[in-house]
Amino acid sequence: GESVGLHLPTLSVQEGDNSIINCAYSNSASDYFIWYKQESGKGPQFIIDIRSNMDKRQGQRVTVLLNKTVKHLSLQIAATQPGDSAVYFCAEQGGANSKLTFGKGITLSVRP
Amino acid sequence: EPEVTQTPSHQVTQMGQEVILRCVPISNHLYFYWYRQILGQKVEFLVSFYNNEISEKSEIFDDQFSVERPDGSNFTLKIRSTKLEDSAMYFCASSDRLAGQETQYFGPGTRLLVL
C-alpha cells in the first residue's frame, strides 16, 4: 500500500550547524505534507507544512522543501539548538481533514 | 494558545477490561481523530470523527473500539476488552474545517499499559 518513510533513523549534528532531515513518500495523490516534532513523552507538535502546489516554504529557522518529481520531502533546521533534539516525523494527507499517514521517525541529536 | 488535552496521562489495566480514554479538542475545531503509537514505532491512524459520526477508520479500529462525543467538549475512545497488544500511546488530535486551516493538532497522549 501507499506509505511514507524516512531514509535515516538517527541524525547527530553539532550545535549551531544546519540540519537536514529527509523523507520519501509514495502516494502521488497526497496534496498536503507536514513535519511534526515529538519530544520524549509528548504528542507530535506541528512544525511546518507545505501543499503540493508549492516546492518550498519557510518558517522561523525551518524550511520545508517538496520535490514532487521524486516524491521527496525535506526539513531544514538552521542553526540547530539543543532544544531541537527530538524525533521528527513527516506525514502526508490525501485530502482536507483526512487521516495523516506518518513516516517512521528520525531522531535528531544535537551535540553541544 | 488553545491546545488539545487528554486524560488520564497513564492508564494501567488488566487484559479483558474496558478502558475509556478522554480528550478535549480545541474548542472551535470540528474534526477529531485518534491515533496510537506503539513504543518505538510510528504514529498510526485509528479513526476520524466529524458531525457526530465516524468519517474514516483504519483496520486497527475493529469492533472492540468505539468513539463518542458525549457532550460539546469531550471526545472519547473506548476499548471494550483490552488485549496485550493494545498497549501503546494514544493520541487525540483535532482540526478546523476551514480550507487551509486543517492542520491536525495533537494532545499529549495517554499511555495505556495492558497487563
Side-chain angles (χ1 to χ4, degrees), chain B residues 46-97:
Chain B
L46 292 178
V47 65
S48 59
F49 191 86
Y50 170 72
N51 199 26
N52 284 319
E53 61 184 29
I54 291 173
S55 49
E56 192 175 7
K57 62 182 181 179
S58 72
E59 48 190 40
I60 301 171
F61 193 88
D62 61 21
D63 292 344
Q64 294 301 311
F65 291 87
S66 62
V67 289
E68 191 178 26
R69 178 102 161 131
D71 53 43
S73 60
N74 290 284
F75 179 52
T76 62
L77 174 69
K78 180 192 290 186
I79 309 175
R80 291 190 183 82
S81 178
T82 50
K83 304 186 287 289
L84 296 176
E85 54 265 38
D86 293 328
S87 296
M89 281 288 286
Y90 287 81
F91 294 107
C92 174
S94 69
S95 64
D96 203 341
R97 183 181 180 218

Side-chain angles (χ1 to χ4, degrees), chain A residues 32 36 38 41-44 46 49 51 89 93 96-100 102-104, chain B residues 31 33 35 37 42-43 45 56 91 95-97 100 102-108:
Chain A
Y32 183 53
Y36 285 93
Q38 186 177 27
K42 298 183 179 180
F46 171 83
D49 58 2
R51 298 197 175 277
F89 293 93
Q93 190 176 46
N97 304 111
S98 66
K99 68 178 182 182
L100 293 173
F102 282 82
K104 290 184 179 179
Chain B
Y31 284 84
Y33 311 82
Y35 292 82
Q37 184 179 33
K42 62 182 180 181
V43 178
F45 169 77
E56 192 175 7
F91 294 107
S95 64
D96 203 341
R97 183 181 180 218
E102 63 265 43
T103 301
Q104 294 181 27
Y105 293 92
F106 285 76

Side-chain angles (χ1 to χ4, degrees), chain B residues 18-50:
Chain B
E18 174 184 285
V19 294
I20 297 176
L21 310 182
R22 291 182 168 80
C23 168
V24 178
I26 294 173
S27 63
N28 62 332
H29 285 183
L30 297 177
Y31 284 84
F32 315 116
Y33 311 82
W34 283 102
Y35 292 82
R36 79 172 186 189
Q37 184 179 33
I38 295 172
L39 186 63
Q41 298 186 23
K42 62 182 180 181
V43 178
E44 300 175 289
F45 169 77
L46 292 178
V47 65
S48 59
F49 191 86
Y50 170 72

Side-chain angles (χ1 to χ4, degrees), chain A residues 24-109:
Chain A
Y25 67 94
S26 58
N27 187 352
S28 56
S30 296
D31 62 2
Y32 183 53
F33 303 88
I34 313 100
W35 280 101
Y36 285 93
K37 172 186 179 182
Q38 186 177 27
E39 295 174 296
S40 181
K42 298 183 179 180
Q45 177 187 358
F46 171 83
I47 302 173
I48 192 168
D49 58 2
I50 190 168
R51 298 197 175 277
S52 59
N53 61 353
M54 303 172 66
D55 53 21
K56 181 179 180 179
R57 190 162 188 224
Q58 287 185 293
Q60 186 176 16
R61 281 201 310 118
V62 293
T63 301
V64 55
L65 299 176
L66 175 63
N67 185 331
K68 293 182 289 295
T69 302
V70 295
K71 297 179 189 172
H72 187 267
L73 190 71
S74 69
L75 176 69
Q76 299 178 359
I77 304 174
T80 312
Q81 302 170 0
D84 295 326
S85 294
V87 177
Y88 289 79
F89 293 93
C90 63
E92 59 92 5
Q93 190 176 46
N97 304 111
S98 66
K99 68 178 182 182
L100 293 173
T101 300
F102 282 82
K104 290 184 179 179
I106 182 168
T107 300
L108 176 64
S109 176

